[in-house]
Amino acid sequence: MGYGEGKFDMKSDPKKYNLVNPIMKNTVPVHTYGWTALRFGTDNPGVWAFHCHIVAHFFMGMGVVFEEGIERLRVGQLHSSIMGCGETKGLHFKP
Ligand SMILES: [Cu+2]
């Protein structure tokens, strides 16, 4: 929804958000000494990793996990499409 330089200001920076037609994408830049504001729809229950793609940064803690609607999931109800991709398909645990 937006990005900027310096420390995020809770009062002034949200006024800069693009709430009309923000870009839909699955990667975003966070500029040096800057901030990025994002939002995501909560219509797909699951556990979603949000992380920096620079491995050293990931291990320094630039990652977080979003749990979305997990109270609506039960073991055995996870769709098979999330259980790996390519050659890893079919290797998942089957309860
Ligand atoms: Cu990073």
Side-chain angles (χ1 to χ4, degrees), residues 8-54:
F8 181 78
D9 185 312
M10 284 291 287
K11 290 186 179 179
S12 62
D13 287 328
K15 295 174 185 171
K16 304 173 191 169
Y17 290 169
N18 176 359
L19 300 175
V20 177
N21 58 353
I23 296 172
M24 293 183 67
K25 56 194 302 191
N26 61 8
T27 60
V28 295
V30 180
H31 300 285
T32 305
Y33 301 114
W35 55 270
T36 296
L38 58 94
R39 70 179 172 187
F40 64 93
T42 55
D43 59 354
N44 192 9
V47 180
W48 308 104
F50 181 74
H51 60 89
C52 181
H53 276 236
I54 298 173

Side-chain angles (χ1 to χ4, degrees), residues 44-48 68-79 82:
N44 192 9
V47 180
W48 308 104
E68 174 199 336
I70 59 169
E71 69 282 355
R72 294 188 289 170
L73 299 176
R74 291 189 208 143
V75 174
Q77 283 191 326
L78 298 176
H79 193 273
I82 69 167

